[in-house]
Amino acid sequence: VVEMCAEWFIEKIEELEGSEDFYTVFTRISEEEGYQTCLVKIRLALLDEHCAVCQILKKHGYQCFIVGGAGRDALLGKTPHDIDFATDATPNEIREVFDKEGWFVYPTGEKFGTMPVTADKITFYEITTYRGEKYQRKSRKPLVTFAKSIFDDLKRRDFTINAMAYN
């Protein structure tokens, strides 16, 4: 499956090469903890309108990435409908930042690090603090822990192509 995803991804990169949405490609492969990391720089115009969330967090000194299926959908040329964000800001920091910006914050998933926010009460975005997972013996359910980097967060995601982050 990983090889199929890698081949598909390379084909998509080759399609974009030379277009205005393609800036540069560079890779960094690391075998840290058995994971390979490939960093690619592409502009996905379908995600531009959603970048306000990241701009707000960055303005306040935090990292922010669009994660999961939205990046995959945009890479496929589909309009993403469910936009999720990952950040190094804690739930309390997310609340403080978006309160200052006049957005509405709903702490419905706060204990898991997820804070839904909206500027207009129509379009909602879920912002989640970087997470890791730890498993206890004899349990398939992980304990959710906060992680220190986007790479740690992406390692725990369910499928290779969902372990994408767009900034």
Side-chain angles (χ1 to χ4, degrees):
V1 172
V2 172
E3 285 180 22
M4 286 175 31
C5 288
E7 288 174 21
W8 171 85
F9 191 69
I10 289 167
E11 287 175 18
K12 292 304 289 181
I13 296 300
E14 288 171 352
E15 284 176 28
L16 291 170
E17 206 161 13
S19 77
E20 64 184 39
D21 287 341
F22 185 86
Y23 294 167
T24 58
V25 171
F26 57 96
T27 60
R28 180 179 75 196
I29 305 296
S30 72
E31 293 297 329
E32 175 187 323
E33 297 181 36
Y35 290 92
Q36 291 186 340
T37 304
C38 176
L39 300 176
V40 180
K41 187 175 182 182
I42 305 169
R43 178 169 172 258
L44 298 173
L46 288 170
L47 296 176
D48 285 352
E49 70 181 89
H50 306 288
C51 289
V53 170
C54 285
Q55 291 167 351
I56 289 170
L57 284 163
K58 286 179 185 177
K59 181 171 106 175
H60 291 271
Y62 299 103
Q63 298 173 1
C64 181
F65 296 87
I66 294 175
V67 292
R72 176 201 60 226
D73 290 349
L75 195 57
L76 288 168
K78 298 178 181 176
T79 302
H81 298 287
D82 180 25
I83 314 292
D84 297 320
F85 295 84
T87 181
D88 59 340
T90 65
N92 285 336
E93 292 166 335
I94 294 168
R95 182 186 299 109
E96 287 175 20
V97 165
F98 285 90
D99 280 346
K100 284 180 188 174
E101 296 292 325
W103 286 49
F104 302 95
V105 181
Y106 300 89
T108 54
E110 186 171 10
K111 97 175 176 183
F112 301 106
T114 301
M115 303 290 282
V117 300
T118 180
D120 57 11
K121 293 189 178 181
I122 296 169
T123 304
F124 287 80
Y125 300 105
E126 286 193 349
I127 306 172
T128 303
T129 304
Y130 298 151
R131 293 187 300 198
E133 294 175 346
K134 291 185 181 179
Y135 289 86
Q136 294 180 327
R137 271 204 254 169
K138 298 182 183 181
S139 175
R140 295 186 328 187
K141 293 187 177 186
L143 297 172
V144 176
T145 60
F146 292 140
K148 300 209 183 298
S149 76
I150 187 63
F151 294 107
D152 291 334
D153 182 87
L154 294 176
K155 284 181 202 176
R156 67 170 189 80
R157 294 188 177 268
D158 61 346
F159 189 55
T160 303
I161 202 69
N162 281 343
M164 294 174 50
Y166 182 74
N167 176 324

